[in-house]
Amino acid sequence: MLKYLSYASKEAQHFSEEDLKQLVEQARANNERLEITGLLLYFDGTFTQYIEGPPAHIDALFQTITADPRHEFIVQLSCGITENRKYKEWSMGYKNYDQIEVAEILNYPNFNPDRIFRNYIPHSGNPGIILLDETRKQ
Ligand SMILES: Cc1cc2nc3c(=O)[nH]c(=O)nc-3n(C[C@H](O)[C@H](O)[C@H](O)COP(=O)(O)O)c2cc1C
């Protein structure tokens, strides 16, 4: 049995390309050890991340991530139990999107990332979740 969880957050300080690279390297090293896989997206100061793995490891990692002062306004987008990994090849996949790419994927010109923080019913309609899913399929 595995647990999965996704969330969105805003950077609390600007992340340069180098900062992002270091963050992903650190995440990959830790996640590999903890049997956690997933995907991190960065777009216009907004993070969207999906993590999956042993439930206790996911709970502990999410606690660590939510306590990280480098980001804020953390909103959980999804959470549940699954048998199969969605991102089994990636200890932490990573994609830094620009406005044009996001507009194309979501079919939404001038998409404002603040929309990811709204409540969607069903939650699969959340643009953050759509971006995570579409990135996996690429
Ligand atoms: C947006 C965001 C995503 C993160 N994702 C992960 C992650 O997937 N795995 C991880 O170990 N740390 C992640 N971190 C970093 C953790 O908050 C924390 O700094 C790190 O786990 C501490 O690792 P250490 O004990 O090796 O120093 C993330 C931080 C941010 C801001």
Side-chain angles (χ1 to χ4, degrees):
M1 187 184 77
L2 301 166
K3 183 169 178 175
Y4 68 88
L5 185 155
S6 67
Y7 72 87
S9 66
K10 292 257 172 214
E11 64 184 6
Q13 57 186 70
H14 178 64
F15 273 74
S16 65
E17 202 43 70
E18 186 56 34
D19 296 333
L20 289 163
K21 210 178 115 206
Q22 277 177 18
L23 173 69
V24 172
E25 269 171 22
Q26 182 190 31
R28 282 180 180 154
N30 286 339
N31 294 359
E32 214 160 290
R33 192 165 35 82
L34 297 168
E35 294 171 54
I36 291 173
T37 48
L39 174 62
L40 177 69
L41 304 181
Y42 177 84
F43 162 61
D44 198 12
T46 299
F47 292 107
T48 311
Q49 189 178 26
Y50 183 102
I51 50 177
E52 60 192 0
H57 293 179
I58 292 298
D59 291 343
L61 176 62
F62 192 50
Q63 245 181 29
T64 304
I65 289 176
T66 49
D68 193 318
R70 292 176 292 178
H71 64 163
E72 55 194 355
F73 306 121
I74 297 159
V75 171
Q76 198 172 302
L77 303 180
S78 70
C79 176
I81 296 297
T82 178
E83 291 301 327
N84 302 308
R85 288 180 191 265
K86 272 186 166 181
Y87 299 90
K88 56 177 178 289
E89 280 103 43
W90 297 342
S91 57
M92 190 44 61
Y94 162 67
K95 178 88 184 157
N96 183 347
Y97 275 122
D98 66 31
Q99 180 81 43
I100 295 167
E101 291 168 313
V102 167
E104 268 175 19
I105 292 172
L106 298 175
N107 197 16
Y108 197 121
N110 301 318
F111 175 76
N112 180 341
D114 288 350
R115 289 187 161 271
I116 293 173
F117 295 83
R118 293 188 189 170
N119 203 12
Y120 289 81
I121 301 171
H123 74 256
S124 55
N126 184 293
I129 290 184
I130 295 173
L131 277 177
L132 285 166
D133 275 340
E134 291 302 317
T135 308
R136 179 169 54 96
K137 289 181 204 155
Q138 278 174 13

